[in-house]
Amino acid sequence: MNESSITIRWEKNSDNCTDISVNGDIDYQTYFRESFLSLDSLPPLYDLREDKTKSESAVKSATISLLTQLIDIIGKSNKTSGQIISERERDSKFPFTDLIVIRKFAQIVGIDFDERRFRNRREFRMYFQSLFNKV
């Protein structure tokens, strides 16, 4: 697939600090995660105006405006954690996250998976490919 995304979330705490979390995903699987603690106020999204989102100029876009502010704020904040998520860690979460989606997919398309044949993503991929090879 090769789909990548970065998700940035922030939440204001009761002590007026802001927790910022950044996740980088590859093909819907978390590849890295970092957290920051900032004393600065982050930009409120409701302050964006329509002229920023309708502008044809990328430099004047809402995205550039927000990311520029976020980069500055994150650069001045304290990094509280960061890690690359290993395949072993992703596999350990497989039954709790992916298996639910796999079961829903199987229900929608009307096929039965033999769940005894796989215990992690790699084994599921191999199992799924073997089903296609039979067709």
Side-chain angles (χ1 to χ4, degrees):
M1 240 189 187
N2 275 341
E3 184 172 323
S4 299
S5 67
I6 295 176
T7 305
I8 304 170
R9 300 180 193 282
W10 60 87
E11 180 180 357
K12 191 82 161 174
N13 295 329
S14 59
D15 59 358
N16 281 337
C17 291
T18 303
D19 286 321
I20 305 167
S21 66
V22 181
N23 283 2
D25 296 346
I26 300 173
D27 293 333
Y28 304 101
Q29 302 299 319
T30 300
Y31 178 72
F32 81 92
R33 180 180 305 134
E34 291 183 315
S35 299
F36 305 89
L37 184 64
S38 176
L39 295 173
D40 293 350
S41 295
L42 275 83
L45 295 179
Y46 55 80
D47 281 354
L48 292 175
R49 296 185 324 268
E50 197 167 330
D51 62 324
K52 289 270 193 191
T53 59
K54 289 196 174 190
S55 170
E56 291 184 19
S57 170
V59 175
K60 296 179 181 178
S61 69
T63 301
I64 293 292
S65 175
L66 284 170
L67 287 176
T68 302
Q69 292 176 63
L70 287 170
I71 288 169
D72 184 49
I73 291 168
I74 290 171
K76 294 186 293 183
S77 67
N78 293 324
K79 186 173 178 179
T80 55
S81 70
Q83 71 179 104
I84 300 290
I85 308 300
S86 68
E87 186 171 347
R88 174 184 271 176
E89 188 175 348
R90 285 191 298 271
D91 283 347
S92 71
K93 295 178 182 177
F94 177 81
F96 307 111
T97 57
D98 298 336
L99 198 50
I100 295 166
V101 175
I102 290 168
R103 287 176 179 155
K104 192 67 171 171
F105 171 76
Q107 180 185 16
I108 290 169
V109 297
I111 59 175
D112 291 322
F113 287 126
D114 183 358
E115 293 179 14
R116 297 169 295 169
R117 304 272 311 274
F118 53 89
R119 293 181 313 271
N120 56 45
R121 286 182 183 82
R122 185 180 57 75
E123 290 177 1
F124 175 71
R125 269 186 246 127
M126 292 171 51
Y127 173 71
F128 196 69
Q129 286 174 347
S130 73
L131 292 178
F132 272 124
N133 292 338
K134 291 179 184 177
V135 177

